Amino acid sequence: MLTLSNVDSYYGRSHILHGVSLQVPDASFVAILGRNGTGKTTLLKTLMGLTDRMTGSISLGDVEIGTAPTYRRARSGIAYVPQGREIVPDFTIRENILMGSFARPDRRHVVPDLVPELFPYLIDNLDRPGGVLSGGQQQQLAIARALAAEPKVLLLDEPTEGIQPNIVEEIENIIIRLNKEMELTVILVEQNVAFARRAAQRFAMMEKGQVVASGGIGELTDELVHRHLAV
């Protein structure tokens, strides 16, 4: 179980997260919801140790990781697919995927066995530069790179944002498969409520850097959505 207890997080003097507590059971799928600017991305970056400072506790199983550097968190089993994907455009597809393998516990630099099944286009084009791919293909590449670390927990920041509609459902279904069939714990930042309801077992709603509502996905009522997501 991934557990956050009373976590505050900062960029310089800006205090973004305020007393966030959250429990993410093994092999669960948790959707993090909220308007833009409510701290959702900062929550994921805090889990990876990518903010300037945090207080409180983050533990993965029985191990406290809240004071660990980013690379140790990655090696402990947390992989991150950031908003905007952040692939290296001049690296080949193969090289981009293998970047993730540096966090593997056994240090083997290999393309994961799952990639041919999930992303056949990537396997057929391993020597193409990542920068020539479409947005949807780059998102697939970013997920494949994360899987190369053999993670226990996958953090996804709005993975269907800016993706062509014909690929959105494909990516959504792959994320669901990773959770249901591969038993990978998924924490998804998302504004698409329909996808969150279809994919997740639990949710946490954020407002002004705090978790203001959480529970089973069946408790994500239209009233909560209107109160915290409607513009």
Side-chain angles (χ1 to χ4, degrees), residues 11 41 44-45 48 50 70 79-93 95-100 129-131 133-146 155-159 161 163:
Y11 296 118
T41 292
L44 298 190
K45 289 187 172 183
M48 291 304 303
L50 296 173
T70 297
Y80 179 37
V81 179
Q83 192 175 30
R85 300 174 282 278
E86 296 183 14
I87 66 156
V88 182
D90 292 333
F91 280 18
T92 65
I93 289 172
E95 289 166 337
N96 270 282
I97 294 173
L98 293 180
M99 285 176 61
L133 302 182
S134 70
Q137 291 162 347
Q138 289 188 8
Q139 186 64 67
Q140 292 176 352
L141 179 54
I143 295 171
R145 179 183 58 194
L155 311 179
L156 295 153
D157 195 349
E158 300 203 31
E161 182 184 40
I163 303 299

Side-chain angles (χ1 to χ4, degrees), residues 97-98 100-102 104 108 110-112 143-151:
I97 294 173
L98 293 180
S101 68
F102 283 88
R104 278 177 65 115
R108 292 179 64 224
V110 294
V111 175
I143 295 171
R145 179 183 58 194
L147 294 177
E150 289 200 327

Side-chain angles (χ1 to χ4, degrees), residues 34 86 95 115 138 160 189 208 211 216 227:
E86 296 183 14
E95 289 166 337
V115 172
Q138 289 188 8
T160 61
V189 163
K208 296 180 180 178
V211 173
R227 189 192 319 166

Side-chain angles (χ1 to χ4, degrees), residues 18-29:
H18 302 264
V20 171
S21 295
L22 189 66
Q23 289 191 336
V24 181
D26 288 342
S28 66
F29 193 131

Side-chain angles (χ1 to χ4, degrees), residues 23-231:
Q23 289 191 336
V24 181
D26 288 342
S28 66
F29 193 131
V30 178
I32 310 296
L33 304 166
R35 296 185 182 93
N36 289 334
T38 58
K40 304 186 303 296
T41 292
T42 299
L43 174 61
L44 298 190
K45 289 187 172 183
T46 300
L47 287 169
M48 291 304 303
L50 296 173
T51 61
D52 294 336
R53 180 168 66 92
M54 67 148 277
T55 60
S57 172
I58 302 174
S59 59
L60 184 59
D62 296 327
V63 179
E64 170 63 38
I65 63 171
T67 57
T70 297
Y71 77 92
R72 290 199 179 278
R73 301 187 197 203
R75 287 181 179 172
S76 73
I78 304 178
Y80 179 37
V81 179
Q83 192 175 30
R85 300 174 282 278
E86 296 183 14
I87 66 156
V88 182
D90 292 333
F91 280 18
T92 65
I93 289 172
R94 187 196 314 274
E95 289 166 337
N96 270 282
I97 294 173
L98 293 180
M99 285 176 61
S101 68
F102 283 88
R104 278 177 65 115
D106 61 9
R107 308 293 196 272
R108 292 179 64 224
H109 302 307
V110 294
V111 175
D113 293 338
L114 276 174
V115 172
E117 179 184 353
L118 297 177
F119 309 116
Y121 176 84
L122 300 183
I123 291 299
D124 292 340
N125 294 274
L126 284 172
D127 295 321
R128 294 193 76 193
V132 305
L133 302 182
S134 70
Q137 291 162 347
Q138 289 188 8
Q139 186 64 67
Q140 292 176 352
L141 179 54
I143 295 171
R145 179 183 58 194
L147 294 177
E150 289 200 327
K152 304 170 188 171
V153 180
L154 182 62
L155 311 179
L156 295 153
D157 195 349
E158 300 203 31
T160 61
E161 182 184 40
I163 303 299
Q164 52 269 47
N166 62 313
I167 295 184
V168 166
E169 186 175 359
E170 179 182 343
I171 290 175
E172 291 178 348
N173 289 337
I174 285 169
I175 294 168
I176 292 170
R177 282 190 64 190
L178 290 172
N179 171 247
K180 293 189 182 302
E181 296 180 22
M182 318 305 177
E183 297 188 341
L184 190 60
T185 303
V186 174
I187 302 177
L188 170 78
V189 163
E190 188 55 77
Q191 297 209 49
N192 182 339
V193 175
F195 177 38
R197 282 174 165 157
R198 181 165 73 96
Q201 293 108 39
R202 303 188 60 79
F203 80 97
M205 185 73 73
M206 296 193 68
E207 188 80 51
K208 296 180 180 178
Q210 297 177 301
V211 173
V212 293
S214 63
I217 200 67
E219 300 172 64
L220 180 60
T221 63
D222 290 342
E223 190 274 332
L224 267 178
V225 170
H226 181 76
R227 189 192 319 166
H228 297 293
L229 278 173
V231 177

